[in-house]
Amino acid sequence: MLKYICHLGKKKSKGKNYKMKKKFLLFMLVSIVAVMTFSIMTSAASTEIIDYYDADTTNEISWTLYEDGKLEITGKCDMDDFAKEDAPWYIYNNYVLTVEIKKGVTGIGANAFYSLKKLKSVSIPETVEKIGMNAFYKCVNLSSITIPSEVTTISASAFSGCSSLTSVELPEGLERIRSNAFENCRKLSEITFYENLEAIGISAFAGCTMLDSVYFYGDAPSLGEDAFAKVSDDFTVYYIKGATGYTKGDWASFDSEAFKGKNNGSKDDSDDDIMYGDVNGDGKINDTDIRYLFNALGGKSSYAKFLKFDESDFNGDGQVTVADHIYLSRYLDGWKGYKPGVN
């Protein structure tokens, strides 16, 4: 009995095998954690491909649709023209959320993104020179678009029915806007056209029921029938002082007003004539000027010219910088001590 009790009280040695097992289990645990961490990081860093087409030559367009809804277009040529609902990715029309067209693609084909109902944003590179007919027809969730600087013509119905479109940035080199190009873009409230514009087609902006302000930096372009039919009751055409054609012919039916021309930093006008903060030159200082200045400072090509205007130099220190954007914002917010032309 005494031996039994003593045996129970004796501490048994765990030995070398136990220590080896412990080290092995620890190693396995660390390995599992490492594998799991790597898997999580990998899945976060890469998105699964849903479908794709890999072109054999650079004369074809390749495309990839990712799990997160991004459609990526690559190539060194124009995209093909398609029949309606015939683009290869159209079967995913309720899945595509964003389109990223890579540098090198030179043209967007007809019906390329026809009625992609969930599409919210599009990135178009400066290499694109043309936008085909119905290219973004009835992309009802698309909210903004920036047209690259090399595009000279926007084809018929290219953005027709984009009912959520609130912002359109046109390039300075744009020459023609074809019929129905922006028809029924019901949330579009203003748009700016530049000196090279020659023609606006039939019903190009018809049904843009919130459109109340259009700005022209050149002489009046030719105007197609019903180009601005069924727009806002407050619709007004603003044209740069000295431009011609806006009080004659078809243009005479619209309310119109000349706005002061910019001196492009030449100081030809006296300081008394400069309305510091009136970035877009419409004779008013408001949130639109903040947006124009923000885009200009942010490097958007269609707004670059505004960096040269004395009116953009809100604090009057002789240069247009981020400080002018801050001062202008604070002035409109009612901060004391922030006045136009005072630094």
Side-chain angles (χ1 to χ4, degrees):
M1 186 66 177
L2 182 61
K3 288 183 178 180
Y4 179 70
I5 293 172
C6 289
H7 176 69
L8 287 175
K10 184 179 179 181
K11 185 177 180 180
K12 187 177 180 181
S13 172
K14 294 183 178 179
K16 291 183 178 179
N17 289 337
Y18 176 81
K19 291 181 180 179
M20 290 296 291
K21 287 180 180 179
K22 186 176 180 181
K23 288 182 178 180
F24 177 76
L25 289 173
L26 182 60
F27 171 79
M28 289 298 294
L29 180 60
V30 171
S31 298
I32 291 170
V33 170
V35 170
M36 290 178 66
T37 302
F38 177 79
S39 298
I40 292 172
M41 291 176 65
T42 302
S43 62
S46 61
T47 305
E48 183 180 348
I49 293 175
I50 300 299
D51 201 355
Y52 73 98
Y53 172 73
D54 192 9
D56 294 329
T57 70
T58 57
N59 293 323
E60 289 185 86
I61 292 294
S62 298
W63 61 272
T64 306
L65 177 62
Y66 295 95
E67 187 180 35
D68 62 359
K70 182 175 79 170
L71 176 62
E72 187 176 275
I73 310 290
T74 59
K76 300 290 184 183
C77 58
D78 288 353
M79 296 172 63
D80 289 337
D81 291 328
F82 303 99
K84 294 178 181 178
E85 303 181 1
D86 199 39
W89 45 81
Y90 182 76
I91 58 173
Y92 303 103
N93 73 87
N94 284 314
Y95 195 85
V96 177
L97 299 177
T98 61
V99 169
E100 183 177 352
I101 303 172
K102 292 293 189 178
K103 184 177 180 181
V105 177
T106 54
I108 298 174
N111 298 295
F113 306 108
Y114 181 94
S115 195
L116 295 185
K117 300 183 185 303
K118 297 293 181 67
L119 180 63
K120 294 181 179 180
S121 64
V122 178
S123 174
I124 306 176
E126 289 295 317
T127 53
V128 167
E129 298 177 357
K130 69 175 185 176
I131 297 176
M133 182 175 65
N134 296 329
F136 295 92
Y137 181 83
K138 282 195 174 180
C139 291
V140 295
N141 277 295
L142 184 64
S143 60
S144 65
I145 193 75
T146 298
I147 310 297
S149 60
E150 297 301 314
V151 173
T152 58
T153 299
I154 297 177
S155 298
S157 301
F159 298 94
S160 179
C162 293
S163 53
S164 296
L165 198 62
T166 59
S167 174
V168 175
E169 296 181 24
L170 301 177
E172 294 186 24
L174 185 67
E175 297 173 0
R176 294 182 177 275
I177 299 174
R178 301 293 188 187
S179 59
N180 311 96
F182 293 93
E183 185 179 20
N184 293 326
C185 293
R186 296 189 179 93
K187 291 188 177 181
L188 188 63
S189 61
E190 69 173 54
I191 192 164
T192 298
F193 307 95
Y194 296 96
E195 294 92 334
N196 291 308
L197 187 65
E198 299 174 359
I200 299 177
I202 297 170
S203 299
F205 294 90
C208 296
T209 53
M210 292 183 66
L211 186 62
D212 58 16
S213 303
V214 289
Y215 299 89
F216 290 87
Y217 281 87
D219 292 338
S222 65
L223 192 65
E225 184 178 0
D226 294 328
F228 292 105
K230 297 180 181 178
V231 292
S232 169
D233 291 339
D234 297 323
F235 180 76
T236 302
V237 174
Y238 297 95
Y239 58 92
I240 196 166
K241 188 176 180 180
T244 62
Y246 294 99
T247 58
K248 301 177 182 179
D250 295 330
W251 288 99
S253 63
F254 303 118
D255 290 336
S256 61
E257 181 180 330
F259 61 85
K260 179 179 173 292
K262 306 295 186 177
N263 59 30
N264 293 321
S266 64
K267 296 293 184 182
D268 290 336
D269 298 330
S270 68
D271 286 347
D272 292 338
D273 293 331
I274 299 172
M275 184 182 286
Y276 292 105
D278 180 22
V279 179
N280 68 354
D282 64 355
K284 298 174 287 186
I285 302 176
N286 52 32
D287 288 342
T288 300
D289 297 299
I290 292 178
R291 180 165 61 84
Y292 273 52
L293 189 54
F294 178 82
N295 288 333
L297 291 167
K300 291 193 175 182
S301 59
S302 59
Y303 289 84
K305 62 160 42 180
F306 295 103
L307 293 176
K308 301 177 182 178
F309 299 160
D310 290 340
E311 287 81 353
S312 299
D313 179 20
F314 181 79
N315 64 8
D317 66 353
Q319 54 187 342
V320 180
T321 65
V322 174
D324 294 296
H325 182 265
I326 295 172
Y327 278 43
L328 176 56
S329 299
R330 291 179 178 178
Y331 167 73
L332 290 173
D333 286 340
W335 287 40
K336 293 182 179 180
Y338 291 89
K339 297 180 180 180
V342 179
N343 55 60

